[in-house]
Amino acid sequence: ERVDIMDYGYVRVSKDKQHEDRQLVALLDCSIDPDNIYIDKQSGKDFARPIYRDLVSRLAPGGTLYVKSIDRLGRNYGEMLEQWRILTKTIGVDIVVLDMPLLDTRNGKDLIGTLIADIVLQLLSYVAHTEREMISQRTKEGLERRRAAGVQLGRPKGAKSKVVKLSGKEDAIRVLLDEGTSVSQIARLLHCDRSTLSRFIASRMCS
């Protein structure tokens, strides 16, 4: 049943093995009813998440949605801008990003406050896009250098044929690591969680 005004909290972790404790504590500290905290355990690459969609369907004008940090809401900042518009304009709820006070729509209801939030979101979107572009360019350049040096690319002969999400990406991952890209950054680029990538590197690339 839809309520008139109510505060909700949203928590997201990428996999079951990741812990949502810190996010939950932060939301509970805001006196949010535990029954109104929704937890998703999947990637933030898009907003096609059943729990998130269920939460959105329960939001009503005048309510408030709390998240610990902006990347818990999602990692695709292009879609993030559209979701922000839907939540704040179409549905009419406030959004509070606890780790980023500038993204608290309860403050600055005037034009300046709205512009500040829009600028912050646009900046985050630009930074994320630029990071992806830079990593992609470094990967291409690294692969070209390896080809020019006569390094055989592709999966080593005799490697296990078990199909996994990261199969076939060994060369790109190796180049990124050689270039100093962190495992977390590579995981974001490949849309997988950090623990999966770490296990893949340990089992398939360190032998």
Side-chain angles (χ1 to χ4, degrees), residues 180-196:
T181 308
S182 70
V183 173
S184 295
Q185 287 178 310
I186 298 173
R188 285 199 299 273
L189 179 68
L190 300 179
H191 300 302
C192 68
D193 64 275
R194 188 181 187 283
S195 59
T196 296

Side-chain angles (χ1 to χ4, degrees), residues 1-8 36 38 52-65 86-94:
E1 182 180 353
R2 197 179 180 91
V3 298
D4 291 329
I5 298 177
M6 192 173 290
D7 292 343
Y8 285 86
N36 290 341
Y38 286 68
Y52 175 77
R53 292 190 177 279
D54 184 24
L55 165 62
V56 171
S57 72
R58 297 172 184 276
L59 296 174
T64 304
L65 174 61
I86 291 172
L87 293 171
T88 60
K89 305 298 184 184
T90 304
I91 299 177
V93 298
D94 279 314

Side-chain angles (χ1 to χ4, degrees), residues 77 81 115-128:
Y77 285 98
L81 295 172
L115 284 174
I116 289 175
D118 288 344
I119 289 171
V120 171
L121 286 170
Q122 291 284 356
L123 179 60
L124 290 172
S125 177
Y126 172 77
V127 170

Side-chain angles (χ1 to χ4, degrees), residues 67-135:
V67 292
K68 176 74 166 61
S69 58
I70 191 65
D71 65 340
R72 296 304 88 198
L73 192 58
R75 289 190 177 279
N76 184 324
Y77 285 98
E79 291 188 17
M80 177 83 72
L81 295 172
E82 176 63 13
Q83 282 296 312
W84 193 274
R85 185 194 66 79
I86 291 172
L87 293 171
T88 60
K89 305 298 184 184
T90 304
I91 299 177
V93 298
D94 279 314
I95 302 176
V96 177
V97 181
L98 298 176
D99 286 352
M100 193 173 292
L102 284 175
L103 294 180
D104 182 344
T105 62
R106 298 172 304 177
N107 302 324
K109 290 290 188 179
D110 56 8
L111 179 60
I112 293 178
T114 301
L115 284 174
I116 289 175
D118 288 344
I119 289 171
V120 171
L121 286 170
Q122 291 284 356
L123 179 60
L124 290 172
S125 177
Y126 172 77
V127 170
H129 174 75
T130 302
E131 180 185 43
R132 288 194 300 269
E133 289 292 317
M134 289 178 61
I135 290 177

